[in-house]
Amino acid sequence: MTDTSQTRVRDPERISSRAADWLACGGCRALLYRKRFERVAKVCPYCGWHDRLTADERVDLLLDDGSAEPVTPAPTVHDPLRFSDLAPYPARLAAARAKTGLPDAVRVVRGTVYGHRVVVAAMDFRFLGGSLGVAAGEAITAAAEEALAGRLPLLLVTASGGARMQEGVLSLMQMAKTSNAMARLDEAGLLTITLVTDPTYGGVAASFASLSDVVLAEPGARMGFAGPRVIEQTLGQTLPKGFQTAEFLVEHGLADAVPPREELRPVVAHLLAAASRPAAKPAECTADAVVRDTVRVRRAPAAQTISLARHRDRPTTLDHIGRWVDDFVELHGDRVGGDCAATVCGVGVLDGQPVVVIGHQKGHSTNDLVQRNFGMPSPAGYRKAARTMRLAAKLGIPVVTLVDTPGAHPGMDAEENGQALAIAECLRTMGSLPVPIVCVITGEGGSGGALAFAVADRVLSSANAVYSVISPEGCAAILWNDPGATGTAADALRLDAGSLLELGVVDGVVAEPPGGAHTAPDAASDLVRDAVVGALRELRGQTGEQLLRDRRARFRRYGVLGGVEEKGVPA
């Protein structure tokens, strides 16, 4: 008989070492090989669960190799309350510093992302749960001041359980301190980005984390003021699945996007490029596609033009963006409580220059049309657009709007959520932007829902687009009391491109392929692109004061016989 006693004896250290090589996924509980897991930035290959990263790992993941340079915050008070619970506060701090190798919960560096300079403040949840104390607040403020001094964008990576209770009211004061620092960056026109990681709660969520121009969130990351346990204990009810997660935040208009970890660097780089791209040599542009002489505009029966304007195969806003805007990053949410799929907003690069693009989005299929509410924005859509317009003004980049909507959404929910006010705010915001604005009516221009995106320096119309105070169907029903009078109403409204040019409502008409834009969508989109680029080049170099004066004078003149002089406005 063979002696097997030796085979039963196992080396405890070897067993421990092998066990340490593996871990269970926090999402699907699959067994993961640790080294491979770390090579893919701690993302489960099976379910996509994102494990927490340290501040050092964040910096390494986001910044170009070797570009990180430390920024040292000012020294702060130590144990201001002489606090002690189950352990003295100084002992807790010492343990956290030994565990993390960090002086506190935030690491601040300067660096580059694909060559674009940026200041990064990365929080580390291992340090007392990323709690916001005086040292962490000073680090965030120091990061903002470093960005201000170098006129650089600021990227905040958040991970926090809330305020640091051991520092009492001084911890609370950091919310105001950091919010003031963010306000200075707004005043200076510097881009701010937040990357929400899991978890981000309390004072961090209710201050600097929510104040950035763009809020990104990792998949599954949670953010809120009160944690779910506090809410459940207070209300005595069970919260729905996915409450406060990144996906929940986007759905409710509180975050812009949820890029997976491997896509973070490119997304951040695109945003930085939009904020800092130097003037580039203009791209080639074909012959002027805009007709400005009313005699040259081809006329067709109004009913035919309306049919072409509504054709579901006409290029949509997303079609145009995909065709001629580079490095586009779509922004979501009105920061109040909703997002609107009928409105598309974002930043990208056109003709070598950063631009903000805003447009109505219908879709081509029935499913798309339903999901996009047939291109009829809710109040959240107009608030999202206004938010994006303000970002353009802050960064000093032009705005391009593409109009194609039957009108604003007329539902009860829209009225309860302030549809009229949301449209009015858009009108006022566009009229006050100190940057060039170019608008193209690409399909339907329905009433105030269309005008909300059309208070521009240059307003153009596609050849088969329409623009009117009301739909012909609505006009026929109200004034003729006869739905069958739609054609008569359409003719009377003079809503075609030629009539709009004669009335001075548009500055030019963009040609379309024979038969309409739907017959050759790419060619039609290229014509719109050339018209937009040409208009932007005309406006390039004008001061904000000039743009505001001329834009307001433009709309001041409508309906007035002869000239008009605005009182209090220099000629």
Side-chain angles (χ1 to χ4, degrees):
M1 183 179 290
T2 303
D3 185 2
T4 60
S5 60
Q6 293 299 318
T7 64
R8 298 192 190 98
V9 178
R10 298 182 179 180
D11 186 343
E13 292 186 4
R14 181 176 296 178
I15 294 171
S16 175
S17 175
R18 288 176 178 174
D21 287 341
W22 297 85
L23 76 158
C25 169
C28 64
R29 307 308 298 169
L31 198 60
L32 305 175
Y33 184 53
R34 188 179 299 275
K35 290 183 178 179
R36 180 174 182 267
F37 182 61
E38 291 174 350
R39 280 198 301 270
V40 294
K42 297 185 177 178
V43 177
C44 176
Y46 303 110
C47 71
W49 171 72
H50 285 49
D51 197 4
R52 290 174 184 157
L53 297 181
T54 68
D56 290 344
E57 288 171 333
R58 285 288 173 192
V59 169
D60 292 342
L61 176 73
L62 291 167
L63 296 185
D64 298 333
D65 292 342
S67 71
E69 301 174 358
V71 174
T72 304
T76 54
V77 296
H78 183 79
D79 191 18
L81 305 184
R82 298 179 182 177
F83 195 94
S84 182
D85 42 55
L86 298 179
Y89 180 46
R92 292 189 182 277
L93 286 174
R97 287 166 181 158
K99 177 182 178 181
T100 64
L102 297 172
D104 209 271
V106 181
R107 181 186 175 194
V108 183
V109 299
R110 291 182 302 270
T112 59
V113 182
Y114 291 116
H116 299 289
R117 299 172 65 207
V118 66
V119 176
V120 179
M123 304 191 75
D124 197 315
F125 193 77
R126 298 174 304 158
F127 198 105
L128 299 181
S131 51
L132 180 62
V134 294
E138 176 59 31
I140 296 295
T141 304
E145 291 172 348
E146 181 71 18
L148 188 65
R151 295 207 55 82
L152 299 174
L154 175 64
L155 171 60
L156 304 166
V157 184
T158 62
S160 176
R164 190 168 298 177
M165 293 175 285
Q166 296 92 336
E167 295 183 8
V169 74
L170 289 184
S171 171
L172 184 66
M173 294 302 105
Q174 304 311 305
M175 295 172 64
K177 175 178 178 175
T178 56
S179 297
N180 287 340
M182 296 293 284
R184 293 186 66 192
L185 296 181
D186 288 337
E187 293 160 4
L190 298 175
L191 177 69
T192 53
I193 305 170
T194 292
L195 171 58
V196 176
T197 75
D198 190 58
T200 298
Y201 282 113
V204 170
S207 58
F208 59 89
S210 296
L211 294 177
S212 289
D213 301 311
V214 180
V215 177
L216 308 174
E218 284 196 327
R222 296 163 294 167
M223 183 171 79
F225 182 57
R229 184 170 60 182
V230 172
I231 296 172
E232 289 183 335
Q233 289 176 347
T234 302
L235 300 180
Q237 64 185 41
T238 302
L239 296 174
K241 185 179 180 181
F243 181 73
Q244 292 183 325
T245 62
E247 297 74 14
F248 174 95
L249 296 174
V250 170
E251 181 183 351
H252 288 81
L254 304 174
D256 288 290
V258 187
R261 193 168 283 170
E262 67 270 17
E263 296 178 12
L264 279 173
R265 287 191 76 229
V267 170
V268 169
H270 292 336
L271 291 168
L272 297 179
S276 61
R277 182 179 295 267
K281 181 180 179 181
E284 290 298 320
C285 189
T286 61
D288 192 357
V290 178
V291 177
R292 295 176 174 83
D293 184 351
T294 57
V295 176
R296 294 175 52 208
V297 178
R298 184 188 64 83
R299 301 298 182 96
Q304 178 183 334
T305 302
I306 292 168
S307 177
L308 290 173
R310 294 173 175 174
H311 200 289
R312 67 166 59 185
D313 290 333
R314 290 179 73 84
T316 67
T317 291
L318 286 176
D319 292 333
H320 289 303
I321 289 170
R323 182 78 179 167
W324 38 266
V325 180
D326 298 324
D327 300 337
F328 184 73
V329 178
E330 186 174 353
L331 305 180
H332 291 273
D334 64 354
R335 296 295 184 271
V336 176
D339 189 35
C340 173
T343 302
V344 170
C345 304
V347 295
V349 176
L350 173 63
D351 193 34
Q353 300 292 322
V355 293
V356 156
V357 183
I358 299 168
H360 302 98
Q361 178 66 22
K362 288 181 177 178
H364 299 297
S365 69
T366 300
N367 185 56
D368 286 344
L369 289 165
V370 171
Q371 288 187 343
R372 300 284 182 175
N373 200 28
F374 297 88
M376 296 185 292
S378 67
Y382 292 109
R383 285 193 290 260
K384 175 170 65 172
R387 178 176 79 87
T388 312
M389 293 172 194
R390 289 191 291 271
L391 175 60
K394 173 182 174 178
L395 300 179
I397 60 180
V399 175
V400 175
T401 64
L402 303 174
V403 171
D404 185 13
T405 180
H409 180 58
M412 185 173 69
D413 288 348
E415 294 303 318
E416 290 175 345
N417 286 284
Q419 183 73 290
L421 175 60
I423 292 172
E425 290 287 358
C426 258
L427 296 171
R428 179 169 63 180
T429 299
M430 286 195 85
S432 303
L433 294 184
V435 296
I437 309 173
V438 175
C439 169
V440 183
I441 315 296
T442 61
E444 285 186 277
S447 192
L451 179 62
F453 292 176
V455 184
D457 304 299
R458 297 291 184 272
V459 181
L460 306 173
S461 172
S462 291
N464 292 307
V466 294
Y467 193 15
S468 176
V469 66
I470 192 173
S471 70
E473 294 86 354
C475 182
I478 294 172
L479 297 184
W480 274 264
N481 198 26
D482 179 10
T486 297
T488 304
D491 290 330
L493 287 168
R494 299 188 64 193
L495 41 65
D496 62 284
S499 296
L500 297 172
L501 186 60
E502 287 178 350
L503 292 167
V505 172
V506 301
D507 301 294
V509 177
V510 183
E512 293 188 22
H518 66 282
T519 64
D522 288 349
S525 184
D526 290 343
L527 290 167
V528 175
R529 183 252 180 214
D530 289 345
V532 169
V533 167
L536 288 174
R537 290 180 183 179
E538 287 178 11
L539 297 167
R540 192 175 295 171
Q542 291 192 26
T543 66
E545 184 180 50
Q546 287 176 304
L547 292 166
L548 283 174
R549 181 189 63 200
D550 293 347
R551 188 184 312 141
R552 288 172 173 170
R554 170 200 185 101
F555 288 91
R556 176 70 177 83
R557 288 192 296 268
Y558 286 130
V560 176
L561 290 172
V564 61
E565 181 180 347
E566 288 188 79
K567 295 180 180 179
V569 178

